[in-house]
């Protein structure tokens, strides 16, 4: 059914506990900031609504103010995404790669410094890492969209609805795929991150059925646990929502989801990445990128062609000395 060992993945994640704790602090910090922004926005909206002396106006103002706080927070988090990727997620991936290859890693805070140094070694600037990550995401999304467009021409009743659900599941599973390709970049000790990203995408495409099967299974497991955590968080989230000016039952659901999602990103996502790294590295052992697949991807995705072009133009910084494969100074 699947080709990963959850016990091995769990063991690897436990050995990177400092990074797990850092991720939990970051993501739960964001969740609490979101709750604060919603409460502040609701308070301002409620206060404006009071000027009309209407009960429904006060509730409406609180709801719209809370929504404004929520949207603002989501926007700020998206702006901070590149720094989170560079400082937290990529460093954690680098340490998981070291563990996969059987090398020792430090413990405590020095492990976080170790991971940060690994990222600086392979990606001198955060903008390069963020650009590569966005390019990988865009190509993977284009592949899935192509399959969906083809299905639109097939006159099979209900096929589009079924494929729409399947596409949503697959798109969710792609969250882990791009990070596994980043692990491939770090593991190969790349000098040209765009070129290695291109090779990683081709290797994924060559084995996409095998890899996608495992990614979908992991996505199912993780969201099942997340939904269970959502149910657990409903009670404390309801208490927080009751303290929001002009409290609304919607906020209890939003807060519970936000906290469950924070737990997923902080603790469960590294488990999925460790499991899929095992699947990917084992599967591609001894394989080379197939030129035929490169041609297919070039035809399918304009973003892939842009990736190829950037790989051809890449010139590393003169101060950047590329490491040996797998080496972290």
């Amino acid at each position: 059914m699947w080709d990963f060992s959850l016990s091995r993945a769990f063991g690897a994640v436990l050995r990177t506990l400092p990074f797990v704790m850092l991720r939990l602090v970051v993501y739960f910090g964001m969740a609490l900031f979101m709750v604060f922004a919603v409460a502040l926005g609701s308070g301002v909206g409620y206060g404006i609504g009071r000027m009309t002396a209407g009960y429904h106006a006060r509730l409406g103002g609180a709801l719209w103010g809370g929504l404004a706080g929520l949207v603002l927070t989501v926007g700020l988090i998206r702006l901070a995404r590149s720094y989170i990727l560079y400082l937290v997620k990529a460093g954690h991936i680098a340490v998981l790669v070291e563990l996969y290859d059987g090398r020792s890693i430090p413990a405590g805070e020095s492990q976080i410094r170790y991971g940060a140094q690994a990222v600086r070694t392979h990606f001198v600037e955060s903008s390069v890492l963020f650009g590569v990550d966005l390019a990988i995401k865009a190509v993977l999304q284009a592949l899935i969209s192509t399959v969906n467009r083809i299905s639109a021409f097939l006159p099979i009743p209900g096929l589009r609805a079924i494929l729409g659900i399947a596409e949503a599941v697959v798109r969710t599973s792609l969250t882990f795929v791009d990070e596994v390709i980043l692990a491939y970049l770090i593991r190969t000790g790349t000098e040209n991150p765009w070129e290695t990203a291109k090779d990683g995408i081709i290797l994924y495409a060559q084995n996409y059925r095998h890899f996608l099967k495992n990614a979908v299974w992991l996505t199912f497991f993780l969201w099942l646990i997340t939904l269970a955590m959502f149910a657990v968080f409903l009670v404390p989230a309801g208490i927080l929502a009751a303290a929001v000016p002009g409290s609304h039952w919607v906020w209890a659901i939003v807060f519970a989801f936000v906290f469950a999602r924070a737990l997923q990103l902080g603790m469960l996502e590294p488990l999925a990445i460790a499991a899929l790294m095992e699947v990917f590295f084992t599967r591609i052992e001894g394989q080379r990128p197939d030129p035929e697949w490169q041609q297919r991807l070039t035809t399918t995705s304009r973003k892939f062609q842009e990736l190829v072009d950037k790989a051809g133009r890449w010139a590393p910084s003169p101060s950047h000395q590329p490491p040996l494969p797998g080496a972290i100074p």
Side-chain angles (χ1 to χ4, degrees):
M1 296 175 69
W2 54 81
D3 306 286
F4 52 83
S5 169
L6 280 176
S7 61
R8 279 198 296 270
F10 186 70
V13 171
L14 275 182
R15 291 183 63 186
T16 62
L17 196 57
F19 262 110
V20 173
M21 297 305 297
L22 175 62
R23 292 174 71 115
L24 287 172
V25 168
V26 169
Y27 289 116
F28 271 98
M30 289 180 179
L32 290 172
F33 180 72
M34 186 175 291
V35 170
F36 172 78
V38 168
L40 181 62
S42 293
V44 172
Y46 188 82
I48 294 173
R50 287 188 65 180
M51 297 178 184
T52 66
Y55 175 74
H56 293 292
R58 292 197 297 271
L59 291 184
L63 182 59
W64 284 108
L67 286 172
L70 180 64
V71 170
L72 178 63
T73 306
V74 171
L76 290 174
I77 290 173
R78 289 182 67 85
L79 287 175
R81 186 172 56 181
S82 60
Y83 296 99
I84 295 168
L85 175 70
Y86 190 67
L87 298 174
V88 181
K89 299 179 80 171
H92 197 184
I93 290 170
V95 172
L96 287 171
V97 167
E98 293 292 285
L99 287 175
Y100 178 84
D101 286 330
R103 288 185 284 270
S104 60
I105 57 171
E109 292 183 8
S110 56
Q111 184 181 113
I112 297 174
R113 290 196 298 270
Y114 185 83
Q117 178 59 40
V119 176
R120 284 193 296 270
T121 299
H122 297 287
F123 305 96
V124 179
E125 299 176 0
S126 62
S127 59
V128 174
L129 172 61
F130 192 49
V132 170
D133 183 63
L134 286 178
I136 294 170
K137 280 185 170 72
V139 175
L140 294 174
Q141 294 286 1
L143 290 174
I144 299 303
S145 297
T146 300
V147 174
N148 198 47
R149 284 197 299 269
I150 292 172
S151 70
F153 294 98
L154 300 178
I156 301 175
L159 178 63
R160 292 185 64 181
I162 294 171
L163 287 178
I165 296 171
E167 182 188 3
V169 175
V170 169
R171 284 185 185 276
T172 304
S173 69
L174 289 180
T175 303
F176 310 128
V177 176
D178 70 286
E179 294 187 357
V180 171
I181 294 177
L182 286 179
Y184 171 76
L185 267 71
I186 293 171
R187 192 182 189 218
T188 55
T190 180
E191 180 179 355
N192 185 336
W194 302 99
E195 180 73 22
T196 311
K198 180 201 74 175
D199 291 345
I201 291 171
I202 295 172
L203 289 168
Y204 164 75
Q206 291 172 200
N207 302 277
Y208 77 94
R209 287 191 181 91
H210 178 84
F211 191 70
L212 197 56
K213 173 190 71 175
N214 288 278
V216 168
W217 272 113
L218 271 169
T219 301
F220 173 76
F221 292 147
L222 264 60
W223 277 102
L224 195 64
I225 297 171
T226 302
L227 286 174
M229 291 299 98
F230 169 77
V232 171
F233 282 126
L234 272 175
V235 173
I239 296 172
L240 282 174
V244 173
S247 61
H248 198 285
W249 60 268
V250 170
W251 297 128
I253 295 175
V254 171
F255 294 165
F257 176 79
V258 166
F259 286 126
R261 179 68 170 155
L263 185 65
Q264 183 194 67
L265 293 171
M267 186 177 294
L268 301 180
E269 189 178 83
L271 184 67
I273 294 169
L276 289 178
M277 275 173 45
E278 176 189 354
V279 174
F280 188 68
F281 292 153
T282 301
R283 184 71 178 183
I284 68 171
E285 188 70 35
Q287 293 187 20
R288 291 182 177 275
D290 187 344
E292 183 179 341
W293 264 107
Q294 178 168 338
Q295 183 59 42
R296 291 184 190 177
L297 290 167
T298 302
T299 304
T300 302
S301 171
R302 179 178 56 84
K303 291 292 184 181
F304 184 80
Q305 182 57 54
E306 292 176 5
L307 187 65
V308 173
D309 294 341
K310 287 181 179 180
R313 297 194 304 266
W314 172 252
S317 169
S319 61
H320 176 52
Q321 296 296 325
L324 294 173
I328 297 178

